[in-house]
Structure formats: C-alpha cells, structure tokens
C-alpha cells in the first residue's frame, strides 16, 4: 500500500484529492490547519468507501511544526514510506499591490510557497532512497498568467511552477516525478464569494470546475500511468488559458 500526504485535505480540492487517492488504494494522511470537523469528514468519506487514512494537523507555513509533527510521524512510522506528496494547502489574501500590507504579502508567500520547500525537503530524501516518488503541486492560473489583486498569490504560485521544473530536473534520475496542476476557477470555499454567473462568460466551458475534476488529474499524476511526465504544469481551467 502506498502512503500519500495531502496538505489541506479538510476542504475543497484537497478533500477531493484525498478521497480519490484513497479510492485508488492509497493510505492517505490528511493534513489540515484548524478545521478538524471537515478533516474528520474527509476521513469518514474515505472509510465509507473502504479506504484508510489518518489526520495529521500542522501549519504548513511553520517549519518548526512541520519538523515536529511530520518529522515525528516519520520517526514513529519508519516502516511506512510516504511516496506521494500533494502540496495543496493554500490561502489567498487579495489586494492591489499599492494597498498590500506586509502580512498580506508574507502570509500568502509562507503558506503557499515556503510550505512547498519545507514539506518537500522533509519527504524527498526517502523518495530518492526508494527510487520512486510523486510530488504534485497545486498551483493556479494566477501563477501562469498573473491576476490583478493577486501579486502575492501569483508570485507564490509562479514560484512553485519554477521550483517544480527545477526539482524535476534534480530528481528525475531517481524515478521521482515532480509536476504541477493549475486549476482555474473551482467551486470551493476559496471562490464562494465570486459571481459564477457573471464570470462563466470568460470560460470556454462556461462554468466553474469541481474539486473532483482537479482530483482526477492529481490521481493520474500520482499513478504509474504518468511515469514519463515530469516538470509539467497541467491546466484544469475549462479552457480559460493554456
Ligand atoms: P479551500 O479554501 O477550500 O481549502 C483550503 C485548505 O487548505 C483547507 O483544507 C485548509 O485547512 C488548508 N490550509 C490553509 N492554510 C493552511 C495552513 N497554514 N496549514 C495547513 N493547511 C492549511 O481552498 P481550495 O480547495 O480552493 O484550494 C486548494 C488549493 O488549490 C490552494 O493551493 C489554492 O491556491 C489552489 N487553487 C484553488 C483554486 C480555486 O478556484 N478554488 C484555483 C486555483 C488554485 P483548514 O480547513 O484547517 O482551514
């Protein structure tokens, strides 16, 4: 059985990814920050479909907590190797740059970008030793084309896209693949205040996407089926930009 860590697995895209990877036969470690109820709901849905997993709360922006909680899990479970990492947890804090505060900038960079570095560094060593691994980073349309009001978020996501390509070159020889999935507008808590009726006119497929549609692509990238794909960014955006 493969072990997968999904950050931000309590809600939205992360919840759908956790449920899908469990349906694919993986044991899923569900990370979240504070919403225990929703994280337990993810686990319950996994168990209802005959899968298995556990909760592992930590703040992905906090390197000390990552060392303690994730490092502690690895120490206590040396027989279990996390072979699939989905760096999904993320926040936005939109504002025009001229009005952007230091916390506006720093919170988004640390949660969305620094987390990639801290968590991936923690897990990649075992993947290299075992000569198999899958790292999937959830980025964004904003990180590909830019978006007004999102200089912080676009910088974080664009940074992960560049790191995805670089890391893929570093670890390919060890059979570890590193890819990114770039959703457009997906129906989750993050987009609940947007007006889908108005915005869908911008989207060739004429609607927002679902978390499950993103999870299908993550599932493919986490599987053997994607064995010759690395350093890629796959858009899941209804045709809005590619
Ligand atoms: P949601 O707001 O629905 O869920 C966010 C998830 O991230 C929650 O599980 C939350 O945990 C977790 N999280 C947030 N901060 C932290 C933290 N510091 N430590 C640990 N977990 C944290 O977001 P989405 O599902 O919409 O987004 C998921 C990813 O997809 C993000 O990276 C986002 O940037 C990206 N994305 C989303 C798009 C969309 O249209 N929805 C479009 C493009 C990209 P908790 O429940 O405990 O708060």
């Amino acid at each position: 059985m493969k072990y997968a860590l999904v950050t931000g697995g309590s809600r939205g895209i992360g919840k759908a990814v956790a449920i899908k990877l469990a349906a694919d036969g993986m044991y899923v470690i569900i990370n979240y920050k504070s919403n225990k109820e929703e994280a337990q709901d993810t686990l319950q849905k996994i168990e209802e479909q005959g899968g298995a997993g556990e909760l592992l709360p930590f703040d992905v922006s906090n390197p000390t907590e990552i060392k303690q909680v994730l490092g502690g899990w690895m120490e206590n479970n040396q027989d279990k190797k996390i072979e699939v990492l989905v760096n999904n947890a993320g926040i936005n804090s939109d504002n025009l740059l001229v009005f952007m505060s230091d916390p506006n900038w720093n919170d988004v960079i640390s949660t969305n970008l620094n987390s990639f570095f801290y968590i991936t560094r923690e897990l990649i060593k075992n993947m290299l030793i075992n000569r198999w691994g899958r790292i999937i980073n959830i980025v964004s349309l904003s990180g590909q084309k830019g978006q007004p009001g999102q200089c912080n978020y676009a910088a974080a996501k664009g940074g992960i896209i560049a790191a995805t390509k670089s890391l893929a070159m570093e670890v390919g020889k060890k059979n570890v693949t590193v890819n990114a999935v770039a959703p457009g507008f997906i129906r989750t808590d993050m987009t609940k205040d947007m007006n889908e009726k108005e915005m869908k006119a911008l989207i060739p497929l004429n609607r927002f996407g679902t978390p499950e549609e993103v999870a299908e692509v993550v599932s493919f990238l986490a599987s053997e089926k994607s064995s010759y794909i690395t350093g890629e960014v796959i858009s899941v955006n209804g045709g809005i930009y590619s």
Side-chain angles (χ1 to χ4, degrees):
M1 184 183 264
K2 287 203 185 309
Y3 284 74
L5 170 66
V6 180
T7 67
S10 49
R11 291 184 286 128
I13 293 170
K15 182 190 277 284
V17 167
I19 292 169
K20 175 64 184 155
L21 294 184
D24 292 343
M26 294 180 205
Y27 182 97
V28 181
I29 301 160
I30 304 158
N31 159 262
Y32 64 100
K33 186 179 177 188
S34 51
N35 201 331
K36 189 172 182 189
E37 206 173 303
E38 280 299 322
Q40 270 169 338
D41 176 72
T42 305
L43 183 57
Q44 192 183 327
K45 289 194 162 79
I46 285 173
E47 287 171 349
E48 276 167 10
Q49 66 186 14
E54 69 184 272
L55 307 186
L56 196 67
F58 58 85
D59 179 347
V60 297
S61 69
N62 183 331
T64 312
E65 234 178 85
I66 292 168
K67 266 258 168 279
Q68 274 168 0
V69 179
L70 182 57
W73 187 94
M74 290 163 70
E75 192 64 34
N76 295 332
N77 293 278
Q78 290 189 21
D79 52 323
K80 301 168 184 161
K81 303 280 179 254
I82 299 174
E83 293 179 283
V84 174
L85 165 61
V86 184
N87 285 307
N88 163 79
I91 55 165
N92 63 341
S93 182
D94 297 356
N95 214 337
L96 296 175
L97 187 126
V98 68
F99 302 122
M100 195 171 281
S101 66
D102 288 6
N104 257 174
W105 178 266
N106 290 327
D107 291 351
V108 169
I109 297 294
S110 61
T111 303
N112 294 6
L113 178 60
N114 296 349
S115 60
F116 156 82
F117 167 60
Y118 296 131
I119 297 170
T120 306
R121 185 178 59 178
E122 194 70 32
L123 295 187
I124 201 159
K125 208 168 168 187
N126 276 339
M127 294 182 189
L128 296 175
I129 291 168
N130 295 332
R131 293 179 164 269
W132 201 93
R134 296 279 190 266
I135 297 167
I136 299 142
N137 301 316
I138 308 300
V139 292
S140 170
L141 177 66
S142 285
Q144 295 171 295
K145 67 170 271 298
Q147 191 68 21
Q150 292 200 320
C151 284
N152 50 358
Y153 184 79
K157 296 300 192 180
I160 301 181
I161 290 173
T164 297
K165 294 176 185 181
S166 301
L167 184 60
M169 291 174 185
E170 290 182 17
V171 300
K173 274 192 188 138
K174 302 284 187 186
N175 206 24
V176 176
T177 67
V178 190
N179 291 291
V181 175
F185 296 101
I186 307 298
R187 281 182 212 128
T188 69
D189 289 346
M190 193 178 267
T191 54
K192 69 178 185 310
D193 296 328
M194 291 181 176
N195 188 336
E196 182 174 345
K197 271 192 186 147
E198 260 174 33
M199 295 188 65
K200 71 180 187 181
L202 303 168
I203 305 168
L205 286 179
N206 206 36
R207 62 174 175 86
F208 281 13
T210 65
E212 289 72 23
E213 288 172 311
V214 181
E216 286 294 337
V217 179
V218 175
S219 158
F220 167 68
L221 289 173
S223 74
E224 280 297 345
K225 292 177 193 166
S226 65
S227 50
Y228 203 53
I229 300 174
T230 195
E232 275 299 323
V233 183
I234 301 183
S235 292
V236 184
N237 62 21
I240 199 168
Y241 176 87
S242 34

